[in-house]
Amino acid sequence: MKKLSTSQIATIDQQHIWHPYSSLTNPFPAYQVDSADGVRLKLADGRELIDGMASWWCVIHGYNHPTLNAALQAQAEQMAHVMFGGIVHEPAARLAQTLVEITPDGLEKVFFSDSGSVSVEVAMKMAIQYWQSLGVQGKTRLLSLRNGYHGDTFGAMSVCDPVTGMHHLFSNILMPQIFSDSPQCTFNTEWDESFISDFEEKIATHSHELAAVILEPVVQGAGGMRFYSPHFLKRVRELCDDHNVLLIADEIATGFGRTGKLFACEWAGISPDILCLGKALTGGYMTLAATLCTQQVSDGICQGEAGVFMHGPTFMGNPLACAVASASIELLLASDWRARIATIQQQLESGLAPARELPNVADVRVLGAIGVIEMKEPIELARIQKEFVDQGVWIRPFGKLVYVMPPYIMGQHDLATLCDVMVSVVKNYR
């Protein structure tokens, strides 16, 4: 197949391609990437960028990793895909067993899908079908946290913050859910029961109609990059038990070490009834997600009227994706990832600290391999991103937030460059 020229790609992009969260009449610039290796993106014009985003948080081992390349190639020689209805294969079995072993206690059943948003849809359906199967009427709504974000499909949109969740345009047609205040405590705040009072009131008032609570443990991602106290999460687990409501933990962004624990639920020492995984699951190589649940949930669903769970994606359990996911998890667990994340956290804390003194900065916060500079006013994406690219880094801000979630393999020199450029660009941004 003849290779397209740079100008041909640009023309096709301008005329036909719709990028995420973008306009076709007033599009953001799209930078052509020719290749990627380690922590660097190589642009078509020859420039190289240090990638501070890990391609929306999933490329934890960096690009073009030989171990993941080999896993993908070996599996492709056996079979790239086969339907999952009535069929099982080693890659899916191996990955399911691994996920059961490494996730919080009690999560024993694994349902594969092909994206994080779909894993949330699956979790919501599990919760609702569970109560229907038990013959409990009316438990069809979910309680979510403001500033939360859970994806772009319709069910997922309904549990995102109605304002910061980017989906207010659809509010009139989404299933109405219940929202409590976002946690008013930072990660290290000394605990006060007042922090949980609004949530406690909401779950007590609406427990008769709630199938589940859904939240992002400890880190609220695209809804604001907010870090909150693990004790809040612990109290949520207790209140769900008290009021007979299931707990769904959305660890799509936080899973596989990003916060300094393998899963963010571990900060609070809790296990959810249903767990959503995605993003870093395959190390950024393939699109794959998983929804895990307890045997209590699966038994409740399967003993009900339908006798089966009513969901089945075409690419469920894709062998290529499962094989590379297992290789990615094995690669992570075989490394000293905890020490690496701790080092990244320390360097982000010191490297971003100067931004705290800037008059246009509202806050600087770091947790694990997540570093955030929150501005006082929204930034102009196209302009600030060009400044980052011109200085050799790839950072994709949104709203008031300039943040990084680098690959875990990033070295000290590259991470220092990333921090220096972030602070410099923010300092000079007017």
Side-chain angles (χ1 to χ4, degrees), residues 6 9 12 29 35 83 162 176 195 201 217 232 263 266 269 324 370 384 400 403 412 420:
T6 299
I9 294 171
I12 294 169
S35 62
M83 66 182 290
F195 296 143
E201 186 273 328
F232 186 97
F263 299 97
E266 295 173 23
V324 76
I370 309 170
I384 199 170
K400 298 179 181 180
Y403 75 98
Q412 291 187 358
D420 290 345

Side-chain angles (χ1 to χ4, degrees), residues 274-344:
I274 302 173
L275 175 69
C276 300
L277 300 175
K279 287 194 181 293
L281 177 58
T282 68
Y285 267 64
M286 300 283 292
T287 178
L288 180 70
T291 307
L292 285 78
C293 71
T294 63
Q295 184 164 339
Q296 176 183 334
V297 171
S298 64
D299 283 352
I301 291 171
C302 296
Q303 292 169 8
E305 175 187 351
V308 299
F309 178 52
M310 300 301 293
H311 205 84
T314 299
F315 288 95
M316 180 178 179
N318 172 261
L320 284 175
C322 288
V324 76
S326 289
S328 176
I329 295 170
E330 184 176 343
L331 190 63
L332 177 67
L333 298 181
S335 69
D336 193 0
W337 65 268
R338 288 181 180 84
R340 185 72 204 116
I341 299 299
T343 298
I344 291 173

Side-chain angles (χ1 to χ4, degrees), residues 108-185:
E108 300 179 358
K109 312 300 178 183
V110 184
F111 191 97
F112 293 117
S113 59
D114 41 13
S115 75
S117 291
V118 176
S119 77
V120 170
E121 300 283 340
V122 168
M124 294 173 68
K125 287 177 73 172
M126 279 183 177
I128 293 169
Q129 192 177 341
Y130 170 77
W131 294 112
Q132 289 179 338
S133 296
L134 294 184
V136 179
Q137 301 301 313
K139 291 175 79 71
T140 58
R141 301 177 75 184
L142 281 86
L143 172 58
S144 185
L145 303 181
R146 294 195 179 276
N147 288 109
Y149 177 81
H150 300 283
D152 294 339
T153 50
F154 266 77
M157 283 196 296
S158 76
V159 291
C160 294
D161 186 289
V163 178
T164 66
M166 301 182 284
H167 303 125
H168 67 278
L169 294 175
F170 304 97
S171 58
N172 291 335
I173 56 175
L174 295 175
M175 180 179 177
Q177 310 289 9
I178 311 296
F179 292 89
S180 73
D181 292 343
S182 59
Q184 300 304 301
C185 45

Side-chain angles (χ1 to χ4, degrees), residues 189-327:
T189 301
E190 184 177 350
W191 180 252
D192 188 300
E193 273 295 295
S194 64
F195 296 143
I196 199 72
S197 59
D198 186 70
F199 180 91
E200 190 170 14
E201 186 273 328
K202 292 293 195 315
I203 196 171
T205 301
H206 297 281
S207 61
H208 65 285
E209 59 180 332
L210 289 177
V213 167
I214 184 169
L215 50 66
E216 301 153 281
V218 176
V219 176
Q220 293 187 294
M225 302 303 294
R226 303 175 77 252
F227 311 150
Y228 64 89
S229 170
H231 199 87
F232 186 97
L233 179 58
K234 183 178 179 181
R235 291 289 288 119
V236 167
R237 173 72 274 183
E238 292 169 354
L239 289 166
C240 285
D241 292 340
D242 291 345
H243 293 283
N244 202 25
V245 175
L246 298 177
L247 175 59
I248 301 170
D250 176 353
E251 292 236 26
I252 294 164
T254 55
F256 305 102
R258 179 60 66 177
T259 69
K261 300 285 188 182
L262 194 57
F263 299 97
C265 284
E266 295 173 23
W267 284 108
I270 65 105
S271 293
D273 301 292
I274 302 173
L275 175 69
C276 300
L277 300 175
K279 287 194 181 293
L281 177 58
T282 68
Y285 267 64
M286 300 283 292
T287 178
L288 180 70
T291 307
L292 285 78
C293 71
T294 63
Q295 184 164 339
Q296 176 183 334
V297 171
S298 64
D299 283 352
I301 291 171
C302 296
Q303 292 169 8
E305 175 187 351
V308 299
F309 178 52
M310 300 301 293
H311 205 84
T314 299
F315 288 95
M316 180 178 179
N318 172 261
L320 284 175
C322 288
V324 76
S326 289

